Amino acid sequence: MEQTVKERLLALYEQWAGESVGAISELPPSGSDRRYFRISSPNAKALGAINKDLRENMAFIEFSRFFKSRGLRVPEIYAVDADMDCYLLEDFGGTTLFELLSTRRKDKEIPEDIEALYRESIIQLLSFQTEGRELDFSHCYPRARFDKQSMMWDLHYFKYYFLKLARISFDEQLLEDDFNRFSDFLLKSDSTYFMYRDFQSRNIMVTDGGLAFIDYQGGRRGALQYDLASLLYDAKADLPQELREELLEHYLELLTPATGISRVQFMETYHAYVLIRIMQAMGAYGFRGFYEKKQHFLRSIPYALTNLKHLLSTCNEFKYFPMLYKVLCDLCENQALLEISAEQDLTVSICSFSFKRGIPVDNSGNGGGFVFDCRALSNPGRYAEYSTLTGKDPEVIDFLQKAPEVHSFLENIYSIVDQSVENYLGRGFKHLMVSFGCTGGRHRSVYCAERLAEHLRSKYRIRINLKHLEQDNH
């Protein structure tokens, strides 16, 4: 019987590692059709990827090898199946810059160390953009250059999946004329650099060894402005405008020494690239939200509209594209879109507890929810050096992160809880409770509760109420 792709992936791992698979767990799905598995054995670990799009796989693998050879921190490709539909790559863990931003910020206040990570990301971005000029662009997919055709694809994506599905009226021919003029304006920029295409905080990994970068398989030749716009105007990251301006200035200070391009040349089309990036993202929100009915994508729309409104109020050049400008202004005033709640209208209560005291009661009146038993996981509380610590201490975190069964346990929980969160958001429910129990309620349950809170904050605009009952009661 022919092996399945997953079976071939596991065989590839055992051939590469020289030992049998000890644990495997599938990562929660994202916005693509790719599937990722965290695989480990006694002396090795890797991420396994399955993707039926072979040209996309080739682009990622070849780009990874090139950037690795230039000293950039991207995943090492360990092994590739002969059919090219699965491969093994370096595992950078699960902490993204977006996750840190979401869990550490206080409203609009961004901690200094998070700002520093953004500044380092910008330094690395310029390295990708300049080193990438020597890349073999024949591997690019679906197109080797962010040219007029690519721009029109993005603009039509916005038109068909956002404007039409949101029922925004426009003159089709006049808008098409403006799209053509707008793309011609964008093409005035030097487009000979590597354009990462999706350089945003979810694709920047924060590891003990520094920042690492993923998801550049859509890269191609293009202008420098696009990637900076992707990072600074990501709707869900919702960076304060003042910080955006500071980070833009940081980039501009590095720009001329690295490229010879002056800040005047760069700024001539920068805001236009911010606009096309916002429109591309809104097309994605429309496709995933209006078309595929994934409600949490719709919740990014108010943030995108806020960015759009600021852009229109500060940049006069868009008035040279009258139908496009009218459509964008209508979007910013559209009552139905404005009523899509960006507020945290679902509360997920997460708690850790000790089974010695019994399972916590849901006082919201909603009932239901989940209780997860952590007692099957490796217990740091049995070791003297951890006995006085909790699951929030670095030593305990390190202990549990090294245990493969903990990764598998949590990733299954993420998948289950995500399903309920998305259903609750779509149906307007207000409360969900998730409890983690262990023997003493201090190590494993605390660690798992903290990880789930981080995961949900990084993925959804919801309110998290996190409590550790053993600590809170002492």
Side-chain angles (χ1 to χ4, degrees):
M1 186 175 180
E2 185 178 352
Q3 285 182 305
T4 66
V5 181
K6 186 176 178 181
E7 288 170 342
R8 284 193 284 109
L9 177 67
L10 296 181
L12 183 69
Y13 179 90
E14 293 186 347
Q15 182 181 9
W16 167 73
E19 54 190 6
S20 298
V21 170
I24 178 171
S25 57
E26 185 167 3
L27 275 60
S30 59
S32 75
D33 294 328
R34 295 186 298 276
R35 298 173 65 195
Y36 290 101
F37 300 84
R38 183 160 276 126
I39 311 172
S40 62
S41 53
N43 299 298
K45 66 175 183 176
L47 278 185
I50 293 176
N51 183 15
K52 62 184 178 182
D53 193 330
L54 304 188
R55 288 186 62 194
E56 185 178 69
N57 291 344
M58 178 61 75
F60 180 76
I61 290 165
E62 293 301 323
F63 290 0
S64 296
R65 288 169 173 165
F66 172 83
F67 288 127
K68 196 78 174 175
S69 73
R70 295 301 178 101
L72 289 163
R73 194 143 187 263
V74 299
E76 182 177 348
I77 304 299
Y78 293 142
V80 181
D81 184 78
D83 289 346
M84 284 293 296
D85 55 357
C86 61
Y87 54 92
L88 301 173
L89 65 155
E90 186 176 358
D91 184 357
F92 286 132
T95 303
T96 66
L97 178 56
F98 179 78
E99 183 178 345
L100 284 185
L101 172 69
S102 301
T103 56
R104 298 276 311 284
R105 73 187 302 166
K106 296 179 180 178
D107 296 322
K108 292 291 184 180
E109 184 179 340
I110 311 297
E112 290 184 2
D113 59 334
I114 303 298
E115 289 188 16
L117 292 175
Y118 267 92
R119 293 177 187 278
E120 177 60 27
S121 298
I122 284 173
I123 294 172
Q124 296 299 318
L125 169 60
L126 262 171
S127 295
F128 276 100
Q129 292 175 321
T130 54
E131 293 288 343
R133 298 180 88 176
E134 305 301 321
L135 189 71
D136 181 354
F137 286 92
S138 68
H139 295 298
C140 292
Y141 175 69
R143 201 163 180 85
R145 184 182 294 272
F146 193 59
D147 55 8
K148 189 178 182 73
Q149 181 67 72
S150 294
M151 293 173 184
M152 294 302 287
W153 283 346
D154 282 359
L155 295 170
H156 288 152
Y157 190 46
F158 169 70
K159 179 173 75 172
Y160 291 115
Y161 283 110
F162 196 90
L163 295 182
K164 286 186 176 290
L165 294 181
R167 303 184 184 280
I168 304 298
S169 62
F170 54 87
D171 184 300
E172 189 99 28
Q173 184 59 61
L174 293 178
L175 184 60
E176 194 71 16
D177 292 343
D178 278 355
F179 280 172
N180 275 287
R181 286 194 295 269
F182 183 61
S183 57
D184 288 340
F185 178 73
L186 291 168
L187 289 169
K188 292 171 63 176
S189 296
D190 185 345
S191 298
T192 61
Y193 293 87
F194 177 74
M195 194 179 91
Y196 196 113
R197 180 63 171 167
D198 202 14
F199 194 83
Q200 45 115 336
S201 56
R202 283 176 185 74
N203 293 332
I204 301 173
M205 310 302 298
V206 182
T207 75
D208 292 340
L211 297 180
F213 301 86
I214 59 173
D215 280 6
Y216 35 75
Q217 60 275 354
R220 61 200 75 176
R221 283 196 193 276
L224 298 164
Q225 291 89 338
Y226 188 95
D227 288 331
L228 186 64
S230 299
L231 180 66
L232 301 188
Y233 283 86
D234 175 26
K236 286 188 177 179
D238 192 28
L239 295 180
Q241 189 58 37
E242 182 180 357
L243 178 57
R244 287 184 181 134
E245 296 299 328
E246 291 175 5
L247 294 172
L248 170 61
E249 182 61 29
H250 179 53
Y251 183 91
L252 291 173
E253 289 172 356
L254 301 170
L255 175 67
T256 303
T259 67
I261 296 174
S262 71
R263 63 173 58 213
V264 173
Q265 290 172 306
F266 183 88
M267 292 303 299
E268 185 179 9
T269 56
Y270 171 65
H271 291 110
Y273 274 99
V274 172
L275 178 57
I276 195 172
R277 176 60 182 182
I278 290 174
M279 288 193 287
Q280 188 276 336
M282 292 180 78
Y285 302 150
F287 178 71
R288 299 295 183 186
F290 295 132
Y291 183 73
E292 293 189 334
K293 308 299 184 185
K294 295 178 179 178
Q295 294 294 316
H296 66 277
F297 282 94
L298 296 180
R299 294 170 187 275
S300 295
I301 292 174
Y303 299 95
L305 292 179
T306 298
N307 290 342
L308 184 58
K309 194 168 187 178
H310 173 80
L311 197 62
L312 295 178
S313 68
T314 55
C315 305
N316 292 322
E317 62 258 39
F318 303 131
K319 294 180 180 178
Y320 293 108
F321 312 102
M323 179 51 61
L324 175 58
Y325 182 74
K326 177 184 182 302
V327 164
L328 297 175
C329 290
D330 288 348
L331 277 178
C332 293
E333 302 300 327
N334 185 277
Q335 195 60 37
L337 295 176
L338 293 173
E339 288 176 357
I340 295 174
S341 175
E343 297 301 319
Q344 300 168 333
D345 54 358
L346 170 66
T347 297
V348 178
S349 294
I350 304 173
C351 72
S352 64
F353 69 95
S354 166
F355 276 104
K356 294 176 181 178
R357 298 178 183 270
I359 297 172
V361 176
D362 181 0
N363 293 316
S364 72
N366 187 53
F370 302 98
V371 178
F372 295 108
D373 187 345
C374 304
R375 289 176 294 185
L377 304 177
S378 300
N379 185 8
R382 293 179 177 176
Y383 301 90
E385 62 265 39
Y386 305 122
S387 60
T388 60
L389 304 177
T390 75
K392 296 172 70 174
D393 289 308
E395 298 88 345
V396 176
I397 292 172
D398 184 62
F399 176 94
L400 292 168
Q401 283 181 337
K402 291 178 179 177
E405 77 274 11
V406 175
H407 290 286
S408 176
F409 181 75
L410 283 172
E411 282 155 10
N412 286 320
I413 288 170
Y414 295 160
S415 180
I416 293 169
V417 175
D418 283 358
Q419 182 178 348
S420 287
V421 168
E422 290 175 18
N423 182 275
Y424 279 28
L425 286 171
R427 297 170 68 186
F429 289 2
K430 298 299 182 183
H431 188 264
L432 174 67
M433 185 170 182
V434 184
S435 302
F436 292 92
C438 64
T439 306
R442 293 178 51 80
H443 298 97
R444 294 165 291 181
S445 60
V446 170
Y447 174 83
C448 291
E450 290 282 337
R451 298 291 80 74
L452 179 63
E454 287 180 1
H455 168 79
L456 293 178
R457 286 191 186 110
S458 71
K459 192 168 182 179
Y460 305 103
R461 286 283 175 177
I462 58 178
R463 182 182 294 109
I464 302 294
N465 182 15
L466 177 61
K467 291 184 178 180
H468 300 299
L469 297 184
E470 284 304 303
Q471 283 89 327
D472 294 345
N473 289 332
H474 287 83

